Amino acid sequence: MRLATIARRLLGAVVVAYVAACTALFFAQRTLLFPAPAPLPVRLGQGATRAVLDLGTATVPIFWQPVDGAPLVLFFHGNGGQLARSVATGRDAVAAGVGFAAVEYPGYGEATGEGPSEVGILAAARAGLAHLGTLGLPTPACMGHSLGTGVAVAMAAEGRCSALVLASAYTSIPDVAVLSYPLFPVHWLVRDPFDSLSRAGAVKVPALVVHGTRDPQIPLALGERLAAAIDGAKFVRVDRAHNDIVDRELWARVAGFLGGG
């Protein structure tokens, strides 16, 4: 067999294998991006109230706990979180003097409907903001952690928030994915891009971006780049990793930021 024929066959095998790998990654991406944990019951503390919102194709729970005379934050959790785990986050917020609310994502926790997607999650966020608006509460600041920063940015870009707070933020999901899959055309493959960078210019409210210097999952540079694209955003580096950034110290910082401190 001639060397040229062998080379062509080898090249063809490599191409087939590469296309197969791209196809597998495309169909597996939502499992990778939305690793929804096993559902936990939402057990609220004293003073908190919950409701279930009807999205038509899904229902999602929401809870809120206002603090008299204080700003309100609507919190969007990361891709490994769920509403039940946001209860403890809410306690830290209230202890810092900040009213707190959180809404679940379709496909997570006690929510119903099809698996998570950017379209479904943004619909839940809009429904949560609309519901809070019917309660006579102040227009909330939108706050996100990790995946949830893309949700918060989208809501702020649509003019639905009084302020924006981001912890462990990214520019877009493809920009994060390419770090783990550098050999694949992830910018073409990603179905749920959460392109915060393209939305940043539409954010017209005060913004605080906090990023851990020891974050192994979302590089500090991506948070810096997004903050630079949001007009007037305040960027703060903290000595934290990815999952331990939303702590009592952050809530004290958020309270000062929203209170003008």
Side-chain angles (χ1 to χ4, degrees):
M1 187 179 294
R2 297 177 59 183
L3 289 178
T5 301
I6 294 173
R8 283 196 299 270
R9 289 184 177 181
L10 286 175
L11 179 60
V14 169
V15 170
V16 169
Y18 181 76
V19 171
C22 287
T23 301
L25 184 61
F26 177 80
F27 285 107
Q29 64 178 279
R30 281 184 169 157
T31 300
L32 297 171
L33 180 58
F34 305 117
L40 296 172
V42 180
R43 296 189 174 96
L44 301 180
Q46 185 176 4
T49 308
R50 68 173 289 171
V52 176
L53 308 179
D54 185 356
L55 304 186
T57 58
T59 62
V60 294
I62 182 174
F63 79 87
W64 60 94
Q65 186 169 356
V67 174
D68 288 344
L72 178 68
V73 167
L74 178 58
F75 181 77
F76 302 106
H77 63 69
N79 70 341
Q82 59 180 296
L83 197 66
R85 298 196 182 281
S86 297
V87 174
T89 303
R91 285 198 294 266
D92 288 343
V94 171
V98 177
F100 184 86
V103 65
E104 190 57 284
Y105 305 153
Y108 273 74
E110 297 178 354
T112 67
E114 295 183 359
S117 68
E118 180 173 0
V119 169
I121 291 173
L122 295 188
R126 295 184 189 105
L129 285 160
H131 182 75
L132 294 175
T134 68
L135 304 176
L137 297 171
T139 300
C142 290
M143 177 175 175
H145 172 235
S146 191
L147 175 74
T149 64
V151 187
V153 170
M155 295 301 100
E158 293 177 8
R160 300 174 186 271
C161 316
S162 61
L164 178 64
V165 179
L166 306 175
S168 306
Y170 51 85
T171 47
S172 72
I173 293 300
D175 288 345
V176 178
V178 74
L179 301 175
S180 298
Y181 303 97
L183 300 180
F184 295 92
V186 293
H187 286 80
W188 294 349
L189 296 175
V190 170
R191 301 168 68 185
D192 305 286
F194 286 99
D195 191 349
S196 293
L197 190 62
S198 71
R199 292 170 168 140
V203 175
K204 304 300 181 185
V205 293
L208 171 67
V209 183
V210 182
H211 210 109
T213 57
R214 296 186 284 111
D215 191 331
Q217 293 169 262
I218 300 178
L220 180 70
L222 293 186
E224 290 177 321
R225 186 181 177 198
L226 179 61
I230 299 173
D231 187 32
K234 180 180 181 181
F235 186 78
V236 178
R237 299 171 184 82
V238 295
D239 183 24
R240 294 286 187 276
H242 185 79
N243 289 325
D244 61 4
I245 193 170
V246 183
D247 58 6
R248 293 180 180 180
E249 180 181 317
L250 176 61
W251 281 111
R253 192 183 300 275
V254 170
F257 172 71
L258 296 179

